[in-house]
Amino acid sequence: MNLPEKNFCLILAGGKGRRLWPYSRETYSKQFIDFFGLGRTQLQQTFDRMAKVVPKENIYISTVTDYLHLVKEQLPEVPDDHILAEPLWRNTAASVAWGCFRINRLHEGANLIIAPSDHAVQNEQAFIQNMQEGLDYVSKHYELLTMGVTPTRPEPGYGYVQMGDEVAHDTFRVQSFTEKPEREFARVFVESGEFLWNTGIFLGSAHCMLKNFDSIMPPVLRKLEAQKEEPTIEEENAFVQENFSLYPNITIDFAILEKIENVCVMKGDFGWADLGTWHSMYESMQKTEDDNVVVDCDALLENCRNNVIKLPKGRLGVINGLDGFIVAEKDNVLLICPKEDSSALIRKYINEIRVKRGEKYL
């Protein structure tokens, strides 16, 4: 039986947000920013949304020590033992492994939602319903469940899940995962009708998730579990901090979902977008008559189409004749680059700037 008190959520809030540079910086990443002037940051909006799915006291936050002060500042209602602060970046597999360990040992029989902190949801009521349906499924099946949505375009910046046999209503056995394919492959996926976008939202019992990590990840947590006496939260924190470097720098998709068989995908319908890139922000936001997206800033545009504009408060942008570009200014950096391949270009610029100009621009 799916009992509300057995349902938990782990919000992943440790990413650097490099693909939204220069607005997202390594010292102040995208999840801590109120991009749209709504009065709540992306992390806070994710917490608010998940608090409508699981009890607020059952929400845990995964982050890194560099961002710990930001998490505490923005979510003061979250107790310290519900925040897992990693000493260095090791991607989502290590974060989820530790989160599952903490929740599983403190809350026997817990069902868990893994939720990134940088997603947009247009239909919140549908999201709540889909999450509840997913929790119902994993409470009855010892399987992992990923939440997918029907793609609306051939987006190379997202992961894709191929649907296999239907095992329940709108729930399918996963046939394959493909992470960020080339644009032509993405077009084939979309046209086939067999693929969903992988939202990065995963559900399962904490015990099931933890067991799937056992054979793949280093035995960091198994050593801790094997101790004769139950460790305190402080002892657990110290042990993980000391041994965290043993974890590989890989995503949960690569570590688990591409390697095990008991994975299903549920088709959601809640107007989802990953706000991790400028291009995805363009696709997900309301546009002007000329198909421009002006993100909470002041801009006068003439003969401009298909652009994303994000400028600091108090700054007026006057732009003429631009088509298909990103214009983003933050602190000491102004970025103007084509929108189409912006993720790859930004990755290139960051690497070059780190070598030639130093960390102050990153």
Side-chain angles (χ1 to χ4, degrees):
M1 181 181 296
N2 178 24
L3 300 173
E5 62 270 19
K6 291 287 188 180
N7 295 333
F8 290 76
C9 177
L10 176 68
I11 297 176
L12 304 177
K16 295 183 180 182
R18 286 172 171 165
R19 292 177 297 167
L20 276 176
W21 180 85
Y23 214 82
S24 175
R25 300 295 186 97
E26 291 194 3
T27 56
Y28 209 94
S29 189
K30 60 185 176 181
Q31 59 269 29
F32 305 109
I33 297 171
D34 177 12
F35 263 95
F36 311 109
L38 300 175
R40 298 286 278 175
T41 67
Q42 292 191 67
L43 172 61
Q44 290 170 324
Q45 290 180 64
T46 302
F47 182 87
D48 296 343
R49 189 183 308 126
M50 297 314 304
K52 297 174 183 177
V53 178
V54 306
K56 185 179 292 188
E57 61 271 18
N58 287 4
I59 298 178
Y60 285 69
I61 311 294
S62 170
T63 190
V64 292
T65 52
D66 287 354
Y67 296 156
L68 181 59
H69 68 290
L70 294 172
V71 172
K72 289 185 174 185
E73 176 186 304
Q74 295 190 4
L75 296 176
E77 63 267 56
V78 177
D80 288 350
D81 63 358
H82 282 46
I83 303 174
L84 293 82
E86 302 163 3
L88 65 162
W89 280 276
R90 276 295 184 267
N91 222 311
T92 55
S95 304
V96 174
W98 187 14
C100 288
F101 179 84
R102 169 74 60 86
I103 293 169
N104 183 65
R105 81 178 183 90
L106 295 180
H107 309 282
E108 186 177 355
N111 297 313
L112 182 58
I113 301 173
I114 307 297
S117 57
D118 58 352
H119 289 181
V121 170
Q122 295 172 356
N123 188 336
E124 192 171 84
Q125 202 53 49
F127 176 85
I128 293 168
Q129 181 177 335
N130 286 155
M131 291 301 108
Q132 291 172 341
E133 291 168 352
L135 287 167
D136 285 339
Y137 184 85
V138 298
S139 69
K140 299 169 185 173
H141 302 83
Y142 196 72
E143 297 175 338
L144 298 187
L145 182 70
T146 181
M147 195 63 64
V149 294
T150 302
T152 58
R153 64 185 185 277
E155 171 58 60
Y158 290 172
Y160 289 75
V161 187
Q162 186 178 18
M163 295 175 284
D165 295 335
E166 189 167 11
V167 296
H169 176 65
D170 278 345
T171 304
F172 306 85
R173 189 69 58 191
V174 168
Q175 194 160 320
S176 68
F177 282 93
T178 304
E179 181 68 11
K180 298 177 183 175
E182 298 291 332
R183 190 175 297 277
E184 286 307 310
F185 281 110
R187 183 170 287 108
V188 172
F189 291 168
V190 173
E191 291 174 353
S192 74
E194 298 178 7
F195 289 79
L196 301 173
W197 277 337
N198 180 15
T199 66
I201 301 172
F202 307 108
L203 301 91
S205 72
H207 186 269
C208 177
M209 290 190 183
L210 200 57
K211 284 300 177 186
N212 279 300
F213 280 106
D214 274 356
S215 60
I216 299 168
M217 303 290 279
V220 174
L221 299 174
R222 291 199 298 277
K223 288 180 180 178
L224 185 59
E225 196 173 28
Q227 293 182 4
K228 292 181 179 180
E229 295 184 4
E230 184 80 3
T232 65
I233 295 294
E234 291 75 17
E235 290 169 339
E236 178 193 316
N237 284 340
F239 185 90
V240 173
Q241 296 272 337
E242 185 178 344
N243 292 276
F244 204 76
S245 61
L246 297 176
Y247 281 120
N249 185 21
I250 54 176
T251 66
I252 184 176
D253 307 64
F254 182 79
I256 300 296
L257 298 178
E258 295 181 6
K259 292 180 168 60
I260 64 174
E261 296 180 357
N262 60 331
V263 184
C264 291
V265 59
M266 179 177 286
K267 185 190 294 186
D269 184 24
F270 43 83
W272 170 87
D274 176 356
L275 298 179
T277 69
W278 290 110
H279 195 280
S280 62
M281 188 172 291
Y282 174 83
E283 293 290 347
S284 64
M285 290 191 64
Q286 186 174 351
K287 297 168 183 61
T288 66
E289 290 182 0
D290 293 324
D291 290 327
N292 296 298
V293 168
V294 180
V295 187
D296 189 36
C297 64
D298 194 5
L300 178 62
L301 307 181
E302 188 174 45
N303 299 322
C304 292
R305 298 181 60 82
N306 307 313
N307 302 295
V308 183
I309 313 296
K310 176 65 174 172
L311 302 172
K313 291 291 185 183
R315 184 84 56 136
L316 171 64
V318 181
I319 304 170
N320 185 298
L322 212 58
D323 188 345
F325 274 73
I326 296 164
V327 179
E329 182 183 359
K330 178 68 174 176
D331 297 333
N332 55 356
V333 174
L334 169 64
L335 170 72
I336 303 173
C337 78
K339 172 165 59 66
E340 187 71 17
D341 298 310
S342 57
S343 293
L345 287 171
I346 287 173
R347 193 181 312 118
K348 170 179 173 288
Y349 299 149
I350 287 175
N351 290 336
E352 289 183 1
I353 289 168
R354 176 170 277 113
V355 173
K356 297 178 181 179
R357 296 287 193 276
E359 300 290 331
K360 68 177 181 178
Y361 296 104
L362 304 178

